[in-house]
Amino acid sequence: MAWIWMLSVAGAVLLWAVSLGRILSSPTPYSLPPSPRFLPPLGDRRSRNVLLVLAHPDDESMFFTPTILFLKSKGHSIHVLCMSLGNADGLGDTRKEELYDACATLKIPAEQVSVLDHQKLQDGFHEKWDHGLLAELAMEQIQLWDIDTIVTFDSYGVSGHPNHRDVHHGICKLLHENQRGNIEAWELVSLNMFRKYSGAVDIWLSSLISSRSKQLMYCLVNCSPSRTFEAMAAHRSQWVWFRRLFVRLSSYTYVNMLQKI
């Protein structure tokens, strides 16, 4: 029986190594399937103004790094709107500054990062965020920065955190109320537990699902996973052992599946 266990472990290590090799095979971030139809230029503008809408500081590093690096590699301008300070443990001011530091490692200018501290949008599993208020605050940023594309959580919010889920519903409300229909929105697809912690190995399934999906969906690959570690390490107050482990094992470090809302 011992040899079966050893063979299984060797197979898992080999699969991880092959998967990581596939991810690192390109010098720049890339999408699967490759397609010029994903975020093409709008009119005379070659680049897009993208608004990444988050619930808490560190969401961008833990979950969205492959998306951020891909968009930056294509020359798009990224703006970050974080709906709260993440003050559940009384570290809101610290976490706000850490978000600026993390965004700096990802080459997002501080002036393009907005962190809100609204009385009705406080961090917490038992906090219910008003979807209309979220839509209103997001629209203010859209008008301020001439945003044409939004990226945010899906209805499950990766971890199931209610604040993540409320952000998704707030953006959906904004899209429903936007009569001009001039804003394109994409959501980060939540994965089951096995895929979530399969690390680099998930590239195979994510790319397969994206290529065969009837809905518009793309797998964005982070060919520099170390950038995720650098960004998350900037959140010093949150960089505890279990988050270090999460970043190493999480498939969100290596790939993002984006689906059009």
Side-chain angles (χ1 to χ4, degrees), residues 192-213:
N192 61 43
M193 192 67 69
F194 174 78
R195 291 183 60 198
K196 184 176 180 179
Y197 292 105
S198 63
V201 175
D202 189 65
I203 186 175
W204 309 109
L205 192 54
S206 286
S207 59
L208 179 64
I209 292 173
S210 299
S211 62
R212 296 191 176 184
S213 175

Side-chain angles (χ1 to χ4, degrees), residues 141-191:
Q141 295 295 312
I142 288 169
Q143 294 173 341
L144 176 64
W145 297 107
D146 193 22
I147 298 296
D148 49 63
T149 307
I150 296 174
V151 177
T152 192
F153 294 103
D154 69 0
S155 60
Y156 185 71
V158 178
S159 63
H161 196 300
N163 298 163
H164 297 182
R165 302 176 77 169
D166 283 335
V167 166
H168 167 83
H169 292 299
I171 294 303
C172 287
K173 185 174 180 64
L174 181 153
L175 296 172
H176 178 73
E177 295 175 349
N178 178 39
Q179 300 298 321
R180 291 184 296 171
N182 59 337
I183 302 171
E184 186 175 314
W186 295 79
E187 60 187 11
L188 178 63
V189 176
S190 296
L191 308 176

Side-chain angles (χ1 to χ4, degrees), residues 53-74:
V53 186
L54 312 171
H56 316 113
D58 78 14
D59 288 345
E60 83 298 331
S61 301
M62 291 184 71
F63 308 124
F64 289 94
T65 306
T67 296
I68 293 171
L69 295 178
F70 175 83
L71 295 176
K72 293 291 291 184
S73 74
K74 299 301 181 183

